[in-house]
Amino acid sequence: MGMRFKDKVVFITGASAGIGRATAVAMAEEGAHLALAARRKDRLETLKAELEAGGARVLPLACDVTQRDALDAAVAATVEAFGRIDVVIANAGFGVSGAATKLDTPDYRRQFETNVFGALDTLYATLPHLETSKGNICFLGSVMGRMGLPASAPYNASKFAICGLAESLYYDLREKGIAVSVINPGWVASEFRSVNNQGVRATEQHKEPIPQWLVYPTEKAARDIVQCIYKRRFEAVITGHGKLALFIARHFPRSTRWFIARAVRGKLDKVERAKRGDLAQ
Ligand SMILES: NC(=O)c1ccc[n+]([C@@H]2O[C@H](COP(=O)([O-])OP(=O)(O)OC[C@H]3O[C@@H](n4cnc5c(N)ncnc54)[C@H](OP(=O)(O)O)[C@@H]3O)[C@@H](O)[C@H]2O)c1
């Protein structure tokens, strides 16, 4: 650790909570200037005050990643304020899940608008600046971008799309000197499981439904992300349980499917509740 991103300009979507917020804090500790995008600007203003007290320069940007105009305006404001963009972290996302028979195509479209097209628009809005800086684009995937799980088809599909996108972009953008990374976390502490299928957050404090001992600290996830970007590595799987699950799924795919299918038979609603508690869909 040190000032590995001193005076680098880092643009993060979904910086108002969870992994994006923690990554902003970690990048500020590494000397970066930050352009922080999310819909809840009040939260970004609070984070700005916190980070500027530590010496960072911070630009809060009200931006919905499903609106390309808003992203273009956020990027223009960033370049006006800081003159360049070195690192882009396409992190904004949420989860649409539930038994597939209870969902329909609009659920998948809503999921892809944010998790896939929002990430793609983040890339294309910043690409000219990344070409100039020969910087990094980092996508937030998931362990569920590498293995399928029950009652999760829209989210699973969106994260498989992110992993496929990143893997192809790796070659194309390498030609331009841009490093592509994809971060695939398991369960990380955040507000992720308090957002419903419509993208609406629980208004009251929502209890984390995943057992505490399995949930990886957000600050550690942020440090792993910073390290992956700094090393210009392609992929980082975050969390011990995520690494173990992917190892087993990759090497024993048939047994994995048999085991999971047996474990959830007739219990898909229970699986959904285990992931998000009693949050209204
Ligand atoms: N936590 C986990 O266990 C986990 C595991 C694997 C992957 N991930 C991935 O990690 C990323 C971050 O999730 P998190 O866990 O940090 O969740 P989180 O605490 O709910 O934070 C999500 C962030 O995304 C922003 N966001 C959502 N929709 C947006 C939109 N349309 N436009 C702009 N910003 C938007 C939210 O800000 P506003 O609401 O203020 O806009 C918020 O800052 C996601 O891509 C998620 O899929 C998380």
Side-chain angles (χ1 to χ4, degrees):
M1 293 263 279
M3 297 295 267
R4 293 179 295 181
F5 287 85
K6 185 153 176 48
D7 294 333
K8 299 284 184 199
V9 177
V10 179
F11 181 93
I12 306 176
T13 66
S16 62
I19 295 171
R21 186 188 193 284
T23 306
V25 173
M27 281 292 190
E29 285 167 3
E30 296 279 357
H33 304 309
L34 294 155
L36 305 178
R39 292 164 301 182
R40 289 172 294 175
K41 199 173 177 209
D42 53 329
R43 281 190 167 221
L44 298 176
E45 294 286 1
T46 308
L47 181 57
K48 172 184 157 89
E50 193 182 304
L51 298 181
E52 285 191 340
R57 286 172 65 204
V58 179
L59 181 66
L61 300 154
C63 172
D64 182 334
V65 297
T66 65
Q67 308 295 321
R68 177 59 187 266
D69 291 354
L71 266 168
D72 286 337
V75 169
T78 303
V79 175
E80 196 184 321
F82 298 128
R84 55 188 288 131
I85 298 177
D86 299 286
V87 177
V88 175
I89 305 178
N91 163 78
F94 76 108
V96 177
S97 61
T101 49
K102 296 189 176 165
L103 301 169
D104 204 347
T105 317
D107 296 305
Y108 294 77
R109 281 194 208 287
R110 191 182 328 111
Q111 180 70 103
F112 272 59
E113 279 302 331
T114 298
N115 288 16
V116 180
F117 295 112
L120 260 179
D121 273 343
T122 302
L123 165 70
Y124 283 109
T126 53
L127 190 55
H129 306 289
L130 289 176
E131 283 191 60
T132 307
S133 63
K134 304 209 178 306
N136 304 64
I137 171 102
C138 173
F139 295 96
L140 259 290
S142 168
V143 161
M144 290 170 71
R146 295 294 192 192
M147 72 180 288
L149 287 175
S152 306
Y155 185 68
N156 243 158
S158 76
K159 292 300 180 179
F160 265 72
I162 286 294
C163 287
L165 178 70
E167 211 149 313
S168 184
L169 289 172
Y170 171 85
Y171 300 107
D172 298 10
L173 299 189
R174 194 183 161 88
E175 302 276 303
K176 303 281 183 193
I178 301 168
V180 176
S181 303
V182 62
I183 309 291
N184 292 325
W187 289 308
V188 174
S190 77
E191 296 175 10
F192 184 77
R193 282 164 289 277
S194 62
V195 178
N196 73 9
N197 278 357
Q198 309 301 319
V200 177
R201 270 166 210 280
T203 41
E204 287 164 23
Q205 196 65 29
H206 184 70
K207 191 173 170 289
E208 173 65 78
I210 307 296
Q212 202 54 46
W213 62 273
L214 261 179
V215 181
Y216 197 68
T218 329
E219 297 71 26
K220 274 173 92 174
R223 283 203 294 276
D224 295 344
I225 293 169
V226 170
Q227 177 74 359
C228 180
I229 295 171
Y230 179 69
K231 294 280 180 189
R232 295 174 86 86
R233 283 197 195 116
F234 173 65
E235 183 169 5
V237 177
I238 295 184
T239 70
H241 61 260
K243 285 179 183 150
L244 180 65
L246 287 191
F247 178 86
I248 295 170
R250 191 165 293 152
H251 294 284
F252 309 100
R254 285 178 58 192
S255 311
T256 303
R257 277 194 293 276
W258 179 86
F259 177 79
I260 296 176
R262 216 183 135 83
V264 305
R265 195 163 48 202
K267 297 183 208 154
L268 286 181
D269 287 340
K270 221 172 151 187
V271 171
E272 174 61 9
R273 275 201 302 280
K275 281 190 292 189
R276 275 200 288 209
D278 50 7
L279 194 69
Q281 296 302 293

